[in-house]
């Protein structure tokens, strides 16, 4: 297979062709997240609270899978752009082996810490029990998820976006169809409650992995997993982690943030914790499609950087920034106009709906400007500059928002936490643009 189209095809149609399958995939994944939560919410509000409390650890495990996958994606694209196919195969092989190892370690660690973790945020034994049940089943599939996402990033690195779209959509659809069957029971299948939601998630991940394995085994691939490439290579592994670890931290930092904010909000009412969990479900409709564009950009930027096509790198960044901003603007309008109905999808509690309505209308003020941070961070990862990308994420999820949330919470009550979101996005955008310009240097000036 020839992937030189990445440096020869006109930039705009190239980016659209690479991004569109990802955007569709992310929208379906967003739908899955929403539908999954809707079914869980029908059990009772305690189940929804349990899901919200498990989210930070579940998100961290996903961050390890996706973040390290970004390291694999970046190196494969960079090496193929430079014409070093043997090194690209070695990066893919080491990346896959390490991903499986990460899955085993995450299963053991996450399962062990969950009872104590949940007990820190609630004294309700039912919520803790539900959370432990859900998380134990979900984390048993961590290795499956790690391998699936490693394959996803491998195929994306060589431009096979339609395949990754099909695999992700298949897994999500399977999950959505299984949710009501396993949660509420159907025919001979007993009602499993929140355990059914977790099992549906795991089976959906397994379906995606099976698709990747079948396609890899039955079709010609431009990158290969080779047994002989498994010999120790500290230089290669170091590069994988140099990109992957910052990317993991970029994705894991929201877990740290949610845990911190849950601690602040739980002091007022569990309804605020529920609203924060609902917000993170709803925001996937915006950030995942925008992330789909960034995913389409990432291998293109890496390939063209490896091929020394610097003018195309700059143009790819600019187009991605503009497209992401349009998506976020649409999200702002939706949240302003339909905040109450959106929250009402997940709760019938009038107090929770009122709190959520206020939260959405305040937080969405920072959506459009956040496109600068997300695009800059993704571009830097594609260029192999993981540390610079991490600086941006630290600003968004730790350096600015945590002190602001703590301070504003004491001045304005729980509403202060919502204001911390948009103020943080404005400050982080300024830093992100400066970090990107400094990191890429002359690339910014080429057209």
């Amino acid at each position: 297979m020839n992937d030189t189209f990445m440096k020869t095809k006109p930039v705009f149609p190239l980016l659209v062709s690479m991004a569109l399958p990802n955007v569709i995939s992310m929208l379906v994944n967003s739908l899955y997240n929403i539908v999954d939560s809707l079914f869980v919410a029908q059990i009772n509000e305690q189940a929804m609270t349990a899901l919200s409390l498990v989210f930070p650890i579940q998100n961290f495990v996903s961050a390890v899978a996706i973040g390290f996958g970004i390291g694999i994606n970046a190196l494969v694209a960079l090496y193929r752009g430079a014409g070093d196919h043997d090194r690209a195969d070695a990066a893919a092989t080491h990346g896959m082996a390490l991903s499986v190892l990460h899955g085993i370690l995450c299963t053991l660690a996450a399962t062990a810490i969950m009872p104590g973790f949940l007990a820190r945020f609630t004294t309700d034994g039912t919520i803790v029990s539900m959370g432990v049940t859900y998380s134990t089943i979900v984390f048993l599939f961590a290795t499956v998820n790690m391998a699936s996402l490693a394959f996803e990033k491998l195929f994306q690195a060589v431009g096979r976006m339609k395949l990754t779209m099909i695999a992700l959509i298949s897994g999500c659809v399977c999950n959505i169809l299984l949710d009501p069957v396993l949660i509420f029971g159907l025919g001979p299948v007993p009602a499993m409650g929140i355990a059914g939601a977790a099992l549906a998630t795991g089976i959906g991940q397994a379906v995606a992995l099976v698709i990747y394995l079948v396609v890899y085994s039955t079709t010609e691939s431009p990158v290969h997993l080779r047994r002989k490439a498994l010999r120790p290579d500290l230089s290669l592994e170091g590069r994988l982690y140099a990109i992957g670890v910052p990317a993991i931290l970029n994705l894991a930092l929201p877990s740290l943030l949610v845990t911190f904010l849950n601690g602040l909000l739980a002091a007022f009412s569990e309804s605020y914790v529920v609203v924060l969990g609902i917000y993170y479900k709803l925001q996937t409709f915006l950030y995942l499609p925008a992330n789909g564009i960034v995913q389409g950009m990432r291998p293109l930027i890496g390939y063209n950087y490896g091929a020394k096509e610097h003018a195309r790198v700059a143009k790819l960044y600019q187009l991605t920034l503009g497209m992401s901003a349009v998506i976020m603007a649409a999200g702002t309008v939706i949240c302003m106009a339909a905040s109450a109905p959106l929250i009402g999808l997940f709760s019938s509690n009038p107090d929770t709906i009122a709190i959520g309505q206020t939260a959405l209308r305040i937080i969405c003020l920072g959506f459009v400007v956040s496109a600068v941070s997300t695009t800059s961070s993704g571009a830097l990862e594609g260029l192999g500059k993981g540390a610079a990308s991490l600086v941006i994420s630290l600003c968004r999820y730790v350096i600015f928002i945590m002190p602001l949330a703590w301070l504003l919470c004491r001045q304005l009550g729980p509403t202060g936490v919502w204001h911390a979101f948009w103020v943080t996005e404005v400050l982080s955008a300024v830093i992100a643009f400066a970090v990107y310009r400094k990191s890429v240097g002359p690339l910014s000036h080429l057209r």
Side-chain angles (χ1 to χ4, degrees):
M1 292 181 65
N2 188 346
D3 53 13
T4 56
F5 71 90
M6 291 190 182
K7 67 176 182 179
T8 57
K9 189 174 179 178
V11 172
F12 181 71
L14 174 63
L15 180 58
V16 171
S17 68
M18 292 283 281
L20 188 57
N22 281 311
V23 172
I24 295 171
S25 300
M26 295 298 98
L27 284 171
V28 172
N29 195 46
S30 301
L31 178 63
Y32 142 67
N33 281 314
I34 298 295
V35 172
D36 192 56
S37 297
L38 286 174
F39 283 122
V40 171
Q42 289 179 38
I43 300 173
N44 54 44
E45 192 157 299
Q46 287 175 311
M48 191 64 198
T49 303
L51 209 63
S52 298
L53 292 176
V54 170
F55 172 79
I57 304 301
Q58 189 177 2
N59 186 66
F60 175 78
V61 173
S62 294
V64 173
I66 298 170
F68 192 72
I70 288 171
I72 301 170
N73 178 283
L75 275 193
V76 170
L78 284 166
Y79 284 135
R80 289 189 64 79
D84 193 342
H85 300 293
D86 289 339
R87 200 66 171 160
D89 288 349
T93 304
H94 281 254
M96 183 62 68
L98 290 170
S99 292
V100 171
L101 176 61
H102 296 160
I104 296 170
L105 294 176
C106 282
T107 294
L108 297 174
T111 303
I113 69 170
M114 281 312 298
F117 177 82
L118 292 167
R120 293 186 60 187
F121 299 97
T122 181
T123 57
D124 188 323
T126 301
I127 293 175
V128 173
S129 177
M130 285 182 162
V132 169
T133 298
Y134 179 84
S135 61
T136 299
I137 296 172
V138 163
F139 295 141
L140 282 175
F141 286 88
T143 303
V144 170
N145 194 34
M146 295 281 177
S148 176
L149 286 166
F151 267 117
E152 175 185 295
K153 298 306 177 189
L154 281 179
F155 283 118
Q156 287 179 348
V158 296
R160 299 186 69 174
M161 300 301 190
K162 290 181 181 178
L163 169 60
T164 61
M165 176 184 71
I166 291 169
L168 180 58
I169 290 176
S170 298
C172 289
V173 170
C174 177
N175 193 338
I176 290 170
L177 294 176
L178 287 175
D179 263 335
V181 175
L182 297 178
I183 293 174
F184 306 113
L186 182 65
V189 180
M192 300 173 65
I194 199 167
L199 185 58
T201 297
I203 293 173
Q205 293 167 350
V207 166
L209 176 58
V210 168
I211 291 172
Y212 287 131
L213 288 171
V214 169
V215 171
Y216 179 78
S217 301
T218 59
T219 66
E220 178 61 29
S221 173
V223 65
H224 303 91
L225 302 177
R226 301 185 186 278
R227 185 178 301 176
K228 66 179 182 180
L230 273 177
R231 60 181 180 274
D233 188 334
L234 295 179
S235 173
L236 179 60
E237 290 159 2
R239 289 202 70 184
L240 282 168
Y241 280 110
I243 303 170
V245 170
I248 290 170
L249 292 175
N250 287 345
L251 295 163
L253 286 174
S255 297
L256 175 64
L257 173 61
V258 170
T259 301
F260 175 80
L261 295 181
N262 278 342
L264 290 179
L265 294 171
F268 295 95
S269 167
E270 282 190 355
S271 293
Y272 289 99
V273 175
V274 173
V275 165
L276 185 66
I278 292 172
Y279 161 69
Y280 274 102
K281 294 292 182 181
L282 289 173
Q283 73 148 12
T284 58
F285 265 119
L286 299 172
Y287 283 100
L288 285 185
N291 185 50
I293 298 175
V294 172
Q295 285 191 32
M297 168 196 68
R298 193 183 288 122
L300 294 177
I301 273 190
Y303 189 98
N304 281 278
Y305 185 66
K308 303 187 184 304
E309 295 284 345
H310 294 163
R312 289 171 66 83
V313 170
K315 192 166 184 179
L316 283 163
Y317 171 82
Q318 294 160 4
L319 284 171
T320 303
L321 177 59
M323 293 166 70
S324 297
V326 169
I327 290 175
M328 303 312 290
T332 303
V333 172
I334 292 170
C335 287
M336 283 291 188
S339 53
L342 288 172
I343 299 296
L345 291 171
F346 301 91
S347 176
S348 58
N349 186 323
D351 292 336
T352 300
I353 293 174
I355 291 168
Q357 183 176 12
T358 300
L360 278 186
R361 287 181 172 175
I362 294 173
I363 294 173
C364 74
L365 297 174
F367 283 175
V368 174
V369 74
S370 72
V372 177
S373 298
T374 55
T375 303
S376 299
S377 184
L380 290 167
E381 288 169 349
L383 295 171
K385 300 178 183 293
S389 175
L390 179 59
V391 169
I392 297 171
S393 292
L394 284 171
C395 289
R396 294 184 72 204
Y397 298 116
V398 178
I399 295 172
F400 291 141
I401 194 167
M402 286 188 178
L404 281 169
W406 182 86
L407 179 63
L408 293 175
C409 188
R410 276 150 181 73
Q411 300 295 320
L412 305 174
T415 303
V417 173
W418 316 138
H419 282 287
F421 277 87
W422 71 265
V423 175
T424 294
E425 293 296 1
V426 172
L427 296 174
S428 298
V430 175
I431 299 298
F433 186 71
V435 168
Y436 178 79
R437 289 295 296 266
K438 182 177 180 180
S439 298
V440 301
L443 298 187
S444 295
H445 307 295
L446 292 173
R447 295 293 184 270

